[in-house]
Amino acid sequence: MSLGAAVAALAGVAAADAAECPRKDALGTSRVLSVDARTTPRVGLKSFPQTLQLADREVVLTFDDGPNPPTTSKVLAALAHECVRATFFLIGQHAAEHPDMVKRIAREGHTVGHHSWSHPFMAHIPFDKSKADIDRGIAADEMALHGTSTTTPSTPFFRFPYFESTQAQLDLLQSRGIVVFGADLWASDWEEITPEQELKLVTDRLAASGKGIILFHDNKVRTAAMMPAFLRYLKENGYRVVHVVPAGTSQKSVDAR
């Protein structure tokens, strides 16, 4: 299916989201994009030669390293105000410490991906140790979400800490049907910058690229502070937010979260 046909096929999603959003002037979620590891095992131009099929001015919002209740709750509030859905790549240790926040992320309609147990430099540790850290992180996220400790993720999306991986690790996740997410651009919110500086940096990068998967960190105070202004920027400049979900996820189940 061509990109144009796919967008047209999902046109009803935007109308459904708009109907449910209490604010008629909200940014909203433009469409839902199903991502299948069989055809799209790795995405993100900062790490890989391919990325998601996005039209011009379409963005996917992703957040790493949470949950951290003081800041994650502010990010969630900003997203809810604009009726926007994002993807959160959770650190297992944090999910285990804050299961109620993990449940809230899912309940508010966002996608919950995985980001390891302890956020190590995966390329610098033995393969068996990296596999164990990945599995322990997935199990912690699943326990927080569903009360069951399993290494089979209900959402098979994973992002490597620091975007570092080995070919063996990539092959492992591909063999397990887990999509590896990189990013197309990022806000550099790990730097000691102000919310205003972060906003200018990420909007300048977005204006240059025109679209893409954007990386933020929901555990950063500066990102939580600038998120409302960033979402306003998207709306005022004609950008559309795409919500990514695993292949096989029906729109009904997405709306029921």
Side-chain angles (χ1 to χ4, degrees), residues 237-256:
N237 289 274
Y239 289 93
R240 300 175 303 281
V241 175
V242 175
H243 179 209
V244 293
V245 300
T249 304
S250 68
Q251 183 57 39
K252 182 177 180 181
S253 65
V254 169
D255 290 339

Side-chain angles (χ1 to χ4, degrees), residues 138-207:
I138 290 171
D141 296 341
E142 294 299 318
M143 175 61 75
L145 269 176
H146 306 297
T148 302
S149 179
T150 175
T151 58
T152 300
S154 50
T155 295
F157 292 172
F158 184 84
R159 179 176 273 155
F160 280 93
Y162 310 105
F163 296 113
E164 279 203 352
S165 60
T166 66
Q167 189 60 51
Q169 292 162 356
L170 292 171
D171 290 344
L172 170 70
L173 293 185
Q174 185 170 359
S175 73
R176 291 171 59 179
I178 298 174
V179 180
V180 173
F181 275 77
D184 299 322
L185 64 149
W186 46 59
S188 295
D189 53 0
W190 53 84
E191 303 286 354
E192 292 300 323
I193 54 179
T194 66
E196 293 76 19
Q197 288 171 326
E198 181 184 348
L199 178 63
K200 184 178 189 311
L201 189 153
V202 71
T203 54
D204 285 352
R205 289 174 176 172
L206 181 55

Side-chain angles (χ1 to χ4, degrees), residues 8 19 69 72 80 88 92 94 105 107 110 144 181 201 208 210 217 236 238 246 250 256:
T72 303
F88 289 77
H94 298 167
I105 291 169
R107 186 172 64 248
H110 306 290
F181 275 77
L201 189 153
H217 291 80
E236 291 167 0
S250 68

